Amino acid sequence: MNSGSDNVIRIKTRSNDGGPRIDKVIISAGGSGYTPATTPSSTTKPVTTPTPTSTSAIPVEGDIILSPNGSMTLQQAIDLIQPGKTIYLKAGTYKYSKTILIKEGNDGLPNARKTLAAYGDREVIIDFSAMTENSSNRGIVLDAKYWHVKGITVKGAGDNGMLLSGHYNIIEKCTFRENRDSGLQLSRYNTSYNTKDKWPSNNLIIDCLSTMNMDSRREDADGFAAKLTCGEGNVFRNCIAINNCDDGWDLYTKKQTGAIGVVTLENCQAIGNGYGVNGKDTGGDGNGYKLGDDTASVPHILINCVAKNNKKHGFTGNGNPAKIVLQNCTGSGNGGKLFDRLDNAIFK
Ligand SMILES: [Ca+2]
Ligand SMILES: [Ca+2]
Ligand SMILES: [Ca+2]
């Protein structure tokens, strides 16, 4: 489908009676037909603010509808849902104190994703505030393929709000806030996966917001972290990281695990990281975009990204010697440099 132009849907009969009989055709915008970007677009698009709200849809047979005080838990629904079907969450707050795990192998299909989505336009909050701060207390772990998570807020987890460790997933219009490590992290879940091809790949994170994430060490909680053990083909589009304890985005690498995949950021904004919403120094690093480390050369691609009022640098290579692409990237009001240690970067 091309937006802004006429699109034709052809329906071919496979029956003897001159069918098909069509009851309903539902057309929705964006998302499921996503193919990861491989080449940076040369067009300049204005940066738009994501609105982390949900959209209405019509449930069909096989979907599951949950309500905050219903008898079925989100984990039960996740373990039951079939490809092409949706778990709808009615508005309200769902309180859980245990990690929600979408297991490896609990996959959708390329043309029939498993969907987890807000039902209606009011806020759906999955609240893990009852957890203690601990590296195993992530909120949601998505370790499967071909899921679409849309319009939910994940707050208060004892570690990452979401650990995205699977492949070919779409995370859309979600908010990650007040988690006690990075809001959304892309890294392996299975710690025996030692090669990059097994690390999270080809995921799209679109129209998401990550804010007020804070760990007690004031060291790790970034807005978005695609680091350490992150694979190829992951894209962040139209996302905002604001007032996180550590960095807005962190693409750090470690010598022990080696290079991560190239990450693409399009139309993203990093604002006020290293400061709380009250304007006070969090004690964290406070870079808008930390683009690696000197242990690996990874040529990340940033297009139309903005860094404003972060405590430290707007964009820092942090020692990554690669030809990082920075196309139409701008910013102002950062405490350090706008572009730091990006000597080999390609500015377009
Ligand atoms: Ca942690
Ligand atoms: Ca740090
Ligand atoms: Ca960091």
Side-chain angles (χ1 to χ4, degrees):
M1 287 284 171
N2 300 310
S3 62
S5 61
D6 293 339
N7 294 283
V8 176
I9 299 168
R10 288 192 185 83
I11 297 165
K12 229 177 185 174
T13 181
R14 294 176 68 186
S15 64
N16 297 324
D17 63 357
R21 285 180 293 275
I22 305 296
D23 296 320
K24 199 177 278 171
V25 177
I26 299 169
I27 309 289
S28 62
S32 55
Y34 163 70
T35 332
T38 47
T39 43
S41 141
S42 60
T43 52
T44 306
K45 288 178 223 144
V47 173
T48 51
T49 307
T51 42
T53 56
S54 57
T55 48
S56 302
I58 302 153
V60 297
E61 199 181 331
D63 291 345
I64 297 172
I65 303 174
L66 300 182
S67 52
N69 299 314
S71 55
M72 186 183 281
T73 64
L74 178 54
Q75 184 67 63
Q76 288 169 330
I78 282 167
D79 295 340
L80 284 171
I81 198 76
Q82 295 299 305
K85 303 302 179 189
T86 298
I87 301 166
Y88 288 106
L89 296 170
K90 285 188 171 176
T93 301
Y94 297 72
K95 294 189 177 185
Y96 297 115
S97 54
K98 211 172 152 240
T99 299
I100 304 280
L101 174 60
I102 305 178
K103 282 191 192 117
E104 182 178 13
N106 183 1
D107 299 335
L109 298 166
N111 296 314
R113 292 175 181 277
K114 293 185 177 183
T115 300
L116 173 62
Y119 184 44
D121 289 323
R122 285 183 301 128
E123 196 174 19
V124 169
I125 300 172
I126 305 180
D127 184 353
F128 295 100
S129 302
M131 287 177 161
T132 52
E133 183 173 340
N134 182 305
S135 58
S136 59
N137 283 340
R138 294 141 179 153
I140 298 174
V141 174
L142 174 41
D143 201 33
K145 295 176 188 167
Y146 298 112
W147 278 73
H148 186 179
V149 180
K150 187 172 177 185
I152 63 169
T153 293
V154 181
K155 72 171 275 195
D159 193 73
N160 303 137
M162 177 184 282
L163 176 68
L164 176 51
S165 48
H167 313 268
Y168 301 104
N169 299 292
I170 299 170
I171 311 298
E172 181 182 7
K173 292 188 170 72
C174 290
T175 296
F176 304 93
R177 63 178 162 93
E178 298 158 87
N179 299 291
R180 284 163 281 170
D181 201 323
S182 301
L184 173 65
Q185 180 160 341
L186 278 75
S187 295
R188 69 183 175 193
Y189 175 61
N190 183 334
T191 52
S192 71
Y193 285 173
N194 291 322
T195 51
K196 194 165 60 176
D197 58 304
K198 291 188 171 160
W199 299 345
S201 69
N202 299 297
N203 297 291
L204 173 66
I205 299 95
I206 182 165
D207 293 341
C208 289
L209 171 69
S210 196
T211 187
M212 296 183 278
N213 297 291
M214 168 100 75
D215 57 320
S216 56
R217 291 197 311 139
R218 310 295 172 98
E219 179 60 63
D220 292 330
D222 305 307
F224 299 99
K227 64 181 182 182
L228 303 172
T229 51
C230 177
E232 296 285 358
N234 297 295
V235 176
F236 290 85
R237 188 175 294 149
N238 306 338
C239 293
I240 298 184
I242 181 165
N243 291 127
N244 293 289
C245 169
D246 208 43
D247 307 301
W249 267 263
D250 196 334
L251 313 184
Y252 196 74
T253 53
K254 236 185 196 170
K255 198 173 182 182
Q256 297 92 307
T257 38
I260 63 168
V262 170
V263 179
T264 301
L265 277 64
E266 301 172 359
N267 302 334
C268 292
Q269 302 181 52
I271 303 167
N273 295 290
Y275 297 116
V277 284
N278 56 9
K280 287 192 181 148
D281 188 334
T282 58
D285 290 340
N287 297 291
Y289 303 83
K290 182 185 280 179
L291 302 174
D293 154 270
D294 61 8
T295 62
S297 177
V298 190
H300 300 297
I301 299 165
L302 284 76
I303 304 168
N304 298 331
C305 292
V306 176
K308 274 188 196 163
N309 302 329
N310 296 288
K311 186 174 81 176
K312 207 168 175 186
H313 305 303
F315 301 81
T316 178
N318 199 41
N320 180 352
K323 291 180 178 173
I324 295 169
V325 175
L326 291 151
Q327 182 178 331
N328 293 323
C329 292
T330 59
S332 60
N334 300 289
K337 295 178 184 170
L338 177 57
F339 299 111
D340 170 67
R341 297 171 73 191
L342 286 160
D343 299 340
N344 297 331
I346 300 169
F347 289 89
K348 295 185 183 178

